[in-house]
Amino acid sequence: DVVMTQSPLSLPVTLGQPASISCRSSQSLVHGDGNTYLNWFQQRPGQSPRRLIYKISNRDSGVPDRFSGSGSDTDFTLKISRVEAEDVGVYYCMQGSHWPPYTFGQGTKLEIK
Amino acid sequence: QVQLVESGGGVVQPGRSLRLSCAASGFTFSNYAMHWIRQAPGKGLEWVAVITHDGSGKYYADSVRGRFTISRDISKNTYLQLSSLTAEDTAIYYCARDDPSGQGDYWGQGTLVTVSS
């Protein structure tokens, strides 16, 4: 199984400042079709998860452009250019390249300092 | 608009069974694979099972294989039959759509399963 490791697990950020979350996989996430199925999800308190980013760097519809994804192979990053109050929650990376099983990172809890 | 609505959760005794449902609307259901993903209280997300768009393929996490069964019907419902339940199965169960671009582009609100005597 592919193990997904996120860091940090807790991320206190000042409003208006940038934030960055790392996600590393135990093996390359390049799929046989050439795509890399690495997704990022946001889960606000009391809500269902919401996908922000798919295939490393593609923003879902309605996702603010302050969110961006980057990386390749086994090393991926989610960046928030300027954190807003509504960004509080837990962020998960998830791989869909080598399944079953699909696997998630442990989650990174973003809070406002 | 795309909607996924789960139902069927509740309190169940260890060893008993439960069936969860996920009703889909707002998209051509037969074109999409569907997932079940769960979240134990205060914990992270755990993928449980996926069923292909036509129901021909079903895949499970090791933790539930042999106890849970995923299925779907032409009425736009996805099901998860839970059997031989233990306290470790206590969680919110979400259904999510599998989009060709990746997994989980839409999620339901979840249904809570509590396994307790």
Side-chain angles (χ1 to χ4, degrees):
Chain A
D1 298 357
V2 179
V3 177
M4 305 297 288
T5 304
Q6 290 183 227
S7 63
L9 299 185
S10 179
L11 184 56
V13 183
T14 301
L15 285 173
Q17 293 301 301
S20 180
I21 300 170
S22 170
C23 176
R24 289 191 165 90
S25 58
S26 60
Q27 65 186 79
S28 172
L29 295 187
V30 178
H31 189 271
D33 66 4
N35 290 305
T36 299
Y37 296 99
L38 187 283
N39 306 302
W40 288 98
F41 296 91
Q42 174 195 60
Q43 188 174 32
R44 291 171 171 153
Q47 295 188 13
S48 301
R50 164 201 183 196
R51 196 176 72 179
L52 300 175
I53 302 285
Y54 61 93
K55 287 195 287 187
I56 302 177
S57 60
N58 296 274
R59 266 191 310 275
D60 274 281
S61 176
V63 174
D65 61 7
R66 64 178 182 276
F67 289 92
S68 64
S70 63
S72 64
D73 202 29
T74 62
D75 198 351
F76 307 93
T77 303
L78 176 70
K79 291 182 179 176
I80 309 173
S81 58
R82 294 173 306 279
V83 169
E84 298 189 4
E86 67 178 17
D87 299 336
V88 165
V90 181
Y91 293 80
Y92 297 92
C93 60
M94 174 204 174
Q95 69 84 21
S97 291
H98 307 298
W99 60 275
Y102 296 87
T103 47
F104 290 89
Q106 316 97 299
T108 295
K109 186 174 184 179
L110 186 150
E111 61 180 24
I112 304 300
K113 230 188 260 187
Chain B
Q1 72 281 21
V2 173
Q3 261 201 311
L4 299 172
V5 179
E6 301 94 335
S7 61
V11 179
V12 60
Q13 292 180 328
R16 303 298 292 264
S17 299
L18 203 61
R19 189 177 84 155
L20 308 182
S21 300
C22 170
S25 60
F27 63 100
T28 305
F29 181 66
S30 59
N31 288 350
Y32 293 85
M34 296 295 295
H35 297 266
W36 284 98
I37 294 158
R38 67 183 180 182
Q39 186 170 37
K43 303 296 185 183
L45 300 170
E46 179 190 16
W47 175 79
V48 173
V50 64
I51 186 167
T52 56
H53 71 286
D54 59 359
S56 63
K58 303 175 185 182
Y59 304 88
Y60 301 92
D62 286 348
S63 59
V64 306
R65 188 177 296 113
R67 299 189 302 120
F68 290 9
T69 302
I70 191 171
S71 61
R72 62 192 293 160
D73 64 25
I74 60 172
S75 301
K76 301 187 179 183
N77 295 299
T78 307
Y79 302 102
L80 189 68
Q81 179 72 39
L82 289 63
S83 303
S84 303
L85 286 162
T86 73
E88 286 65 44
D89 297 315
T90 293
I92 298 173
Y93 286 75
Y94 298 99
C95 65
R97 193 177 79 164
D98 189 292
D99 181 75
S101 64
Q103 299 72 36
D105 63 337
Y106 287 94
W107 295 59
Q109 85 288 350
T111 187
L112 176 62
V113 173
T114 303
V115 183
S116 173
S117 54

